[in-house]
Amino acid sequence: MTAPKGALPHPLPGAVGLSHLSAYDWEAADGVCGGSPHLHLVCNEAYVVTGGRGAVQTLGSDGYRDIPLQPGSVAWFTPGTVHRMVQGGDLRITVLMQNSGLPEAGDAVFTFPPEVLADPERYAAAATLPPGTGPRTEAAARRRRDLAVEGYLVLREALVAGDDRPYRDFQRAAARLIRAEVPAWRELWRAAALATAATSTPCRARPCRTTPAEPAGPGTGSGPP
């Protein structure tokens, strides 16, 4: 079957969220300018680079990776992969996120230190930004980024040294943190992602993973589109 002129031969499945972003240009404790390291527990995510240059740092079952990004690059993250976008100069990204609605409902977990992850109220206070824009919101975003980098650097150092225990401990702590939200996630998925996918032709809906009990070593990938 030939696709109509201008149409995608393999359209995106239903309920894929699209957004545009650029990495922070604030310098972190390790001298790198960039975003807040985090993982997604049940959603896949992809970065499509539309401008500028930079990198994405990942922590996964294959250890630590630093993947250069330039226009046309694509980086793909499976659930459980910690990723950190690094600003190299006017880096601009289009983000494709699986299961639209779940990331906003708490699927993304920042790499805060263990004592913060162990306390849901403390985690929520550190992760939540004030509404709107302006100096107050920017200051809160910078504090959140710095706290996530603090925890991330410990995980990265251990992985580089061949010790994956802190990384595994972080995955388990992240799963415990959001476990109570899983029933609500299932309902959100049925009402949003599943309903949208069911009406997407020729795509067929498939159940997503909504029980992040013990994340199994995810991997990462990158390459041309």
Side-chain angles (χ1 to χ4, degrees), residues 84-95:
R84 176 197 192 190
M85 188 162 63
V86 173
Q87 181 63 267
D90 195 29
L91 180 64
R92 299 186 302 281
I93 301 286
T94 294
V95 179

Side-chain angles (χ1 to χ4, degrees), residues 15-16 21 29 36 41 43 46 53-54 68 72 75-76 88 95 101-102 133 135 138-139 171 194 196-197 201-202 206:
V16 171
L21 56 84
S36 304
L41 286 162
C43 295
R53 59 184 179 84
W76 180 276
V95 179
L102 292 182
T133 59
E138 181 175 315
Q171 288 185 316
L194 179 60
T196 302
T201 304
R206 294 192 305 170

